[in-house]
Amino acid sequence: MTTAFPVLLGADGTTATAAGILDRCRELVRPALAGTIERLHPWVGEMAAYSFGWCDVGGTPAGGAGGKGVRQALAVLGAEAAGASGEAAVAGAVAVELVHTFSLLHDDIMDGDQTRRTRPTVWKAYGTGPAVLAGDALFALAVEALAAVDGAGTAAAVRRLGAAMRDLVRGQADDLLFESRPWTGPTAVAPEEYRTMAEHKTGALLGCAAALGAALAGAPEPTVAALDRAGRHMGVAFQVVDDLLGIWGDPAVTGKPVHNDLRQRKKTFPVLAALTARGPGAPAAGRLAALLAEAPDVPDDATTHRAAVLIEQAGGRSAALAEADRHIAAVETCLDGLPLAPRAVAELRTLLDFLVRREI
């Protein structure tokens, strides 16, 4: 896997990178997203704007883009893939971006994370209670933004968003419960359980985004459903690659220390795959299980380094790469044969490549 942005040639002969696609979609959605945030109480609106990187604490404007904007881009591309203008998906793009940001505000509190995108998290900058309030406000705005769309499919779109949010909560609940389960034994977390958690926590909203864009553009239900499935597979691949980065990623790329997930004792896919290894990887799996059982709550660098070595020896790294590849192939299967606009499909593939082929 590499960090190079994949490229494709646009209709005008220019080169479109993943970064260019994301920028284009953000520029399309930003006015509506900002207008929606402006309806909030000024203090809550400031926290929301801070979470998007638009301002500093106190409201001073900042030049942040507010993250990559993958979900809003998927909504726009979903509409364009269905043969419509990306503008048809703006309300859906706003809704999924608000839900995503709401989930980050609450996740940071639950995980105790103090920084995001090199700045203090909202709860760290404003306090836990205010951050919860801001997240709740974004949740409400997301539903309101989508429900305001005129058209026969509005109710179905709101139901789709609600189902994705329910799945997201289910995935987060499972992820939190995984923390208290043992590394080995009959109640240990199985790789299949992890796949389900990742599909819910990460994949549900990605699938919802692409599906909403297509639905708002008037695409037939089989097309909408196929894009939803594609986004869910994309989410699992993205999460597994994130797990690889959490152990072996370059700190200059990830912004986190090497072996960070091991230091936090997270039950990620490479670890779970290594612990269940059979055949040649079994001896390393046994040594890894013993090391994890004996390690303190905050393991030192020597312990995390040893764990990373054992995970690789047991086949956890290669198993995670294979898992990501399987879900990438599943995305392609979902897209193949659909009556979609070729350029938009090419851009969807470019985004997929960007998300899962990062430096590890």
Side-chain angles (χ1 to χ4, degrees):
M1 293 189 178
T2 67
T3 55
F5 285 107
V7 299
L8 56 93
L9 290 180
D12 58 358
T14 59
T15 299
T17 64
I21 295 166
L22 293 169
D23 285 344
R24 175 178 71 83
C25 295
R26 274 198 304 266
E27 289 173 7
L28 176 63
V29 176
R30 171 74 179 262
L33 183 59
T36 302
I37 296 298
E38 287 174 359
R39 298 206 298 269
L40 292 171
H41 181 285
W43 183 47
V44 178
E46 178 190 316
M47 287 187 281
Y50 176 87
S51 71
F52 284 110
W54 299 344
C55 75
D56 296 324
V57 175
T60 303
K68 294 184 288 291
V70 170
R71 289 150 192 84
Q72 58 186 295
L74 286 174
V76 170
L77 293 178
E80 293 175 349
S85 165
E87 293 178 355
V90 166
V94 168
V96 295
E97 194 65 22
L98 290 171
V99 168
H100 174 57
T101 307
F102 139 74
S103 73
L104 295 182
L105 264 63
H106 285 198
D107 282 359
D108 286 340
I109 294 169
M110 286 183 278
D111 296 341
D113 289 338
Q114 299 188 21
T115 59
R116 180 174 291 278
R117 301 174 191 138
T118 73
R119 301 202 305 167
T121 50
V122 175
W123 74 267
K124 192 65 178 175
Y126 290 89
T128 301
V132 171
L133 182 65
D136 292 345
L138 295 179
F139 177 95
L141 277 182
V143 178
E144 181 183 351
L146 196 54
V149 176
D150 292 329
T154 301
V158 172
R159 286 195 298 271
R160 183 176 292 278
L161 181 66
M165 289 160 61
R166 184 178 68 244
D167 276 352
L168 189 156
V169 171
R170 179 184 293 272
Q172 178 66 12
D174 283 338
D175 198 25
L176 289 172
L177 288 170
F178 287 174
E179 295 176 6
S180 61
R181 291 170 62 178
W183 292 105
T184 58
T187 60
V189 180
E192 182 57 41
E193 291 181 280
Y194 183 92
R195 292 185 190 99
T196 301
M197 179 279 294
E199 180 188 333
H200 289 153
K201 182 179 178 180
T202 306
L205 196 57
L206 292 178
C208 177
L212 274 181
L216 292 172
E221 179 55 31
T223 298
V224 173
L227 286 171
D228 192 311
R229 290 194 301 274
R232 285 173 177 265
H233 285 296
M234 187 184 297
V236 178
F238 174 81
Q239 186 62 60
V240 171
V241 170
D242 223 42
D243 292 347
L244 288 162
L245 290 168
I247 298 176
W248 294 286
D250 181 352
V253 176
T254 66
K256 298 178 180 180
V258 67
H259 304 154
N260 186 63
D261 282 359
L262 296 176
R263 193 168 289 105
Q264 297 185 27
R265 298 176 61 84
K266 289 185 178 180
K267 293 182 174 69
T268 59
F269 191 89
V271 180
L272 300 177
L275 288 170
T276 56
R278 299 293 182 267
R287 292 193 294 272
L288 174 64
L291 179 65
L292 293 172
E294 297 166 1
D297 290 340
V298 183
D300 58 25
D301 289 346
T303 301
T304 58
H305 174 76
R306 179 60 178 157
V309 170
L310 289 171
I311 291 166
E312 188 153 12
Q313 289 177 349
R317 182 169 181 161
S318 59
L321 288 168
E323 181 73 13
D325 284 343
R326 279 194 293 272
H327 287 280
I328 293 168
V331 173
E332 294 293 341
T333 299
C334 291
L335 295 177
D336 285 346
L338 289 177
L340 299 175
R343 175 174 171 78
V345 172
E347 293 194 342
L348 283 169
R349 289 189 167 110
T350 297
L351 279 189
L352 171 64
D353 212 43
F354 163 58
L355 288 174
V356 300
R357 300 194 187 283
R358 294 168 285 164
E359 182 64 54
I360 59 168

